[in-house]
Amino acid sequence: MKISVIFYSILIAGLIGISGCGNEDRELKKDTKEIADVMCKTMGAMTKLKAVDPTDSAMVSRLQAEYQIIQADMAKLYEEFRKKYGDKTTSKEFTEKFRKYLNESMLDCKNLSKEDREAFEKGMK
Protein backbone atom coordinates (compact mmCIF):
# COMPACT_ATOMS: atom_id res chain seq x y z
CA MET A 1 0.00 0.00 0.00
CA LYS A 2 2.76 2.47 1.01
CA ILE A 3 4.74 1.59 -2.08
CA SER A 4 1.85 2.37 -4.40
CA VAL A 5 1.24 5.72 -2.65
CA ILE A 6 4.92 6.62 -2.98
CA PHE A 7 5.00 5.42 -6.59
CA TYR A 8 1.94 7.44 -7.60
CA SER A 9 3.24 10.50 -5.73
CA ILE A 10 6.52 10.32 -7.62
CA LEU A 11 4.68 9.71 -10.90
CA ILE A 12 2.41 12.72 -10.41
CA ALA A 13 5.32 14.94 -9.37
CA GLY A 14 7.25 13.83 -12.45
CA LEU A 15 4.34 14.54 -14.77
CA ILE A 16 3.85 17.97 -13.28
CA GLY A 17 7.57 18.69 -13.63
CA ILE A 18 7.67 17.52 -17.25
CA SER A 19 4.58 19.49 -18.22
CA GLY A 20 6.04 22.59 -16.54
CA CYS A 21 9.21 22.33 -18.62
CA GLY A 22 7.16 22.09 -21.78
CA ASN A 23 5.30 25.28 -20.93
CA GLU A 24 8.56 27.11 -20.33
CA ASP A 25 9.95 25.98 -23.69
CA ARG A 26 6.72 26.90 -25.43
CA GLU A 27 6.81 30.33 -23.82
CA LEU A 28 10.49 30.81 -24.73
CA LYS A 29 9.78 29.79 -28.34
CA LYS A 30 6.92 32.30 -28.51
CA ASP A 31 9.05 35.11 -27.07
CA THR A 32 11.94 34.23 -29.36
CA LYS A 33 9.63 34.28 -32.38
CA GLU A 34 8.53 37.81 -31.47
CA ILE A 35 12.16 38.91 -31.23
CA ALA A 36 12.95 37.24 -34.57
CA ASP A 37 10.01 39.02 -36.22
CA VAL A 38 11.30 42.41 -35.12
CA MET A 39 14.85 41.49 -36.17
CA CYS A 40 13.46 40.57 -39.59
CA LYS A 41 11.68 43.93 -39.83
CA THR A 42 14.97 45.62 -38.92
CA MET A 43 16.76 43.81 -41.73
CA GLY A 44 14.02 44.79 -44.17
CA ALA A 45 14.18 48.43 -43.14
CA MET A 46 17.97 48.46 -43.52
CA THR A 47 17.70 46.89 -46.98
CA LYS A 48 15.23 49.57 -48.03
CA LEU A 49 17.47 52.31 -46.64
CA LYS A 50 20.46 51.00 -48.57
CA ALA A 51 18.46 50.79 -51.78
CA VAL A 52 16.83 54.24 -51.66
CA ASP A 53 18.26 57.10 -53.70
CA PRO A 54 20.18 59.31 -51.21
CA THR A 55 18.94 62.45 -52.99
CA ASP A 56 15.33 61.53 -52.18
CA SER A 57 15.41 63.13 -48.75
CA ALA A 58 11.70 62.62 -48.07
CA MET A 59 11.97 58.87 -48.62
CA VAL A 60 15.20 58.65 -46.62
CA SER A 61 13.56 60.49 -43.72
CA ARG A 62 10.49 58.25 -43.84
CA LEU A 63 12.59 55.07 -43.89
CA GLN A 64 14.82 56.33 -41.06
CA ALA A 65 11.73 57.09 -38.96
CA GLU A 66 10.41 53.59 -39.70
CA TYR A 67 13.76 52.11 -38.67
CA GLN A 68 13.77 54.07 -35.40
CA ILE A 69 10.28 52.79 -34.55
CA ILE A 70 11.41 49.22 -35.17
CA GLN A 71 14.49 49.78 -32.98
CA ALA A 72 12.27 51.09 -30.17
CA ASP A 73 10.10 47.98 -30.49
CA MET A 74 13.23 45.83 -30.28
CA ALA A 75 14.46 47.62 -27.17
CA LYS A 76 11.06 47.15 -25.53
CA LEU A 77 11.00 43.43 -26.38
CA TYR A 78 14.50 42.89 -25.00
CA GLU A 79 13.63 44.74 -21.81
CA GLU A 80 10.52 42.60 -21.33
CA PHE A 81 12.57 39.49 -22.11
CA ARG A 82 15.20 40.40 -19.48
CA LYS A 83 12.49 41.06 -16.89
CA LYS A 84 10.68 37.82 -17.66
CA TYR A 85 13.68 35.50 -17.72
CA GLY A 86 16.00 37.40 -15.36
CA ASP A 87 18.94 35.34 -14.12
CA LYS A 88 18.14 32.50 -16.50
CA THR A 89 19.65 34.55 -19.33
CA THR A 90 23.11 34.01 -17.84
CA SER A 91 22.72 30.22 -17.93
CA LYS A 92 24.59 28.47 -20.74
CA GLU A 93 21.73 25.98 -21.22
CA PHE A 94 19.15 28.77 -21.50
CA THR A 95 21.35 30.75 -23.90
CA GLU A 96 21.80 27.71 -26.13
CA LYS A 97 18.05 27.08 -26.23
CA PHE A 98 17.40 30.73 -27.00
CA ARG A 99 20.00 30.77 -29.78
CA LYS A 100 18.55 27.56 -31.29
CA TYR A 101 14.99 28.92 -31.24
CA LEU A 102 16.14 32.26 -32.64
CA ASN A 103 17.98 30.57 -35.52
CA GLU A 104 14.88 28.49 -36.30
CA SER A 105 12.62 31.54 -36.19
CA MET A 106 14.91 33.69 -38.30
CA LEU A 107 14.81 31.18 -41.15
CA ASP A 108 11.20 32.30 -41.74
CA CYS A 109 12.42 35.85 -42.45
CA LYS A 110 12.02 36.91 -46.06
CA ASN A 111 14.53 39.74 -45.62
CA LEU A 112 17.56 37.49 -45.06
CA SER A 113 20.44 37.66 -47.47
CA LYS A 114 21.91 34.40 -48.70
CA GLU A 115 24.84 34.80 -46.29
CA ASP A 116 22.58 35.55 -43.31
CA ARG A 117 20.40 32.55 -44.09
CA GLU A 118 23.47 30.30 -44.25
CA ALA A 119 24.68 31.67 -40.91
CA PHE A 120 21.34 30.97 -39.22
CA GLU A 121 21.19 27.49 -40.75
CA LYS A 122 24.71 26.81 -39.51
CA GLY A 123 23.72 28.04 -36.03
CA MET A 124 21.02 25.38 -35.85
CA LYS A 125 23.53 22.55 -36.11
Side-chain angles (χ1 to χ4, degrees), residues 64-82:
Q64 285 175 336
E66 179 183 319
Y67 179 76
Q68 288 174 348
I69 291 169
I70 294 169
Q71 287 300 306
D73 290 344
M74 179 64 86
K76 181 181 173 189
L77 272 176
Y78 273 128
E79 183 63 30
E80 290 172 359
F81 186 84
R82 277 189 233 109

Side-chain angles (χ1 to χ4, degrees), residues 28-87:
L28 179 60
K29 281 183 180 182
K30 178 183 162 279
D31 294 339
T32 304
K33 177 72 174 142
E34 289 176 9
I35 290 171
D37 289 345
V38 175
M39 286 175 65
C40 185
K41 287 179 186 177
T42 300
M43 292 174 142
M46 287 303 296
T47 302
K48 288 177 187 176
L49 265 170
K50 288 178 185 176
V52 72
D53 181 7
T55 59
D56 187 355
S57 60
M59 180 61 87
V60 170
S61 294
R62 187 177 68 80
L63 290 173
Q64 285 175 336
E66 179 183 319
Y67 179 76
Q68 288 174 348
I69 291 169
I70 294 169
Q71 287 300 306
D73 290 344
M74 179 64 86
K76 181 181 173 189
L77 272 176
Y78 273 128
E79 183 63 30
E80 290 172 359
F81 186 84
R82 277 189 233 109
K83 284 180 183 177
K84 184 173 186 175
Y85 293 101
D87 292 338

Side-chain angles (χ1 to χ4, degrees), residues 11-38:
L11 182 64
I12 291 171
L15 289 174
I16 290 171
I18 290 171
S19 67
C21 292
N23 285 340
E24 183 177 307
D25 274 2
R26 216 174 298 126
E27 198 65 26
L28 179 60
K29 281 183 180 182
K30 178 183 162 279
D31 294 339
T32 304
K33 177 72 174 142
E34 289 176 9
I35 290 171
D37 289 345
V38 175

